[in-house]
DNA sequence: TCGATAATTCGACAACCATCAAAAAGATGT
DNA sequence: ACATCTTTTTGATGGTTGTCGAATTATCGA
């Protein structure tokens, strides 16, 4: 239940942990960087190219990122396009700052 | 090679990953929150009280946090007191923001 | 020096996780 | 219907890691 456009969204304790774990893997971090660097949503097939991992592994990582709420999956015909959920990321940064800084 | 008092410190890729992993464990996150909430350095013995883990496990976690650079260990007689390294944490937050936001 | 307290190290174990190949599922075009 | 392309699922495997008990090191007070 994210609030409309105004308020920050609040992350559950569980989601904070999911996000932290999602960020703790180098491959997922690279995936997120790629998604962040580009405005448009990227299909799996493109992220697979040059990533050096199997489709199965990529699918696994995308699932983790989606469970963490960090990416949004949109089906488009054959493809599944992923986009970064910046509000969730920002909420996580705010949470870290509030809890630890 | 952290810069003196002015500039932000730059984290190596390896340290970023260490920090992310350190934050990805619920117990370590709680430890950091406790250290953040208090100004003074806290000895292991105090963190052990009510934490529900063995001394060995706590020692392991503190080692991980220290390797990540998130805490500083100071020996004081019998005790080892830990304090949060806020600059490192801030550098991590800045890094996340720069890479992903 | 002895006993008690604080913390680390060691060895072992269970749970978790990243990874892949192979098979399956879903979608498109012919 | 068929062949092709994209993604997911399944099953298995090797590596990592959180956890503890027991032993060890270090420090203090009596």
């Amino acid at each position: 239940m994210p609030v409309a456009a105004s308020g920050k969204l609040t992350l559950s304790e569980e989601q904070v942990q999911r996000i932290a774990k999602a960020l703790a893997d180098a491959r997922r971090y690279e995936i997120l960087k790629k998604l962040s660097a580009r405005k448009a949503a990227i299909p799996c097939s493109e992220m697979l190219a040059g990533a050096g991992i199997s489709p199965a592994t990529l699918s696994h990582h995308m699932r983790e990122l989606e469970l963490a709420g960090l990416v949004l999956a949109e089906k488009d015909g054959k493809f599944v396009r992923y986009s970064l959920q910046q509000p969730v990321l920002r909420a996580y940064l705010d949470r870290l700052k509030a809890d630890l800084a």
Side-chain angles (χ1 to χ4, degrees), chain A residues 17-35:
Chain A
Q17 282 304 304
R18 274 193 191 279
I19 293 172
K21 288 209 174 198
L23 292 174
D25 179 86
R27 287 230 161 73
R28 286 192 291 260
Y29 195 83
E30 288 305 313
I31 290 169
L32 290 174
K33 274 212 283 193
K34 195 164 193 169
L35 288 174

Side-chain angles (χ1 to χ4, degrees), chain A residues 8-9 11 69-70 84-94:
Chain A
K8 309 254 175 186
L9 57 152
L11 304 175
L70 286 169
L84 184 61
Q85 292 288 90
Q86 279 135 336
V88 174
L89 184 61
R90 274 194 293 268
Y92 178 67
L93 292 177
D94 290 343

Side-chain angles (χ1 to χ4, degrees), chain A residues 11-74:
Chain A
L11 304 175
S12 70
E13 208 61 44
E14 190 201 359
Q15 197 173 1
V16 169
Q17 282 304 304
R18 274 193 191 279
I19 293 172
K21 288 209 174 198
L23 292 174
D25 179 86
R27 287 230 161 73
R28 286 192 291 260
Y29 195 83
E30 288 305 313
I31 290 169
L32 290 174
K33 274 212 283 193
K34 195 164 193 169
L35 288 174
S36 173
R38 197 183 306 200
K39 191 186 154 57
I42 306 182
C44 285
S45 51
E46 183 178 340
M47 284 187 284
L48 201 52
I53 57 176
S54 73
T57 300
L58 177 63
S59 189
H60 161 68
H61 284 316
M62 296 320 294
R63 183 175 164 273
E64 294 299 313
L65 290 172
E66 197 183 1
L67 280 175
L70 286 169
V71 304
L72 178 73
E74 289 169 292

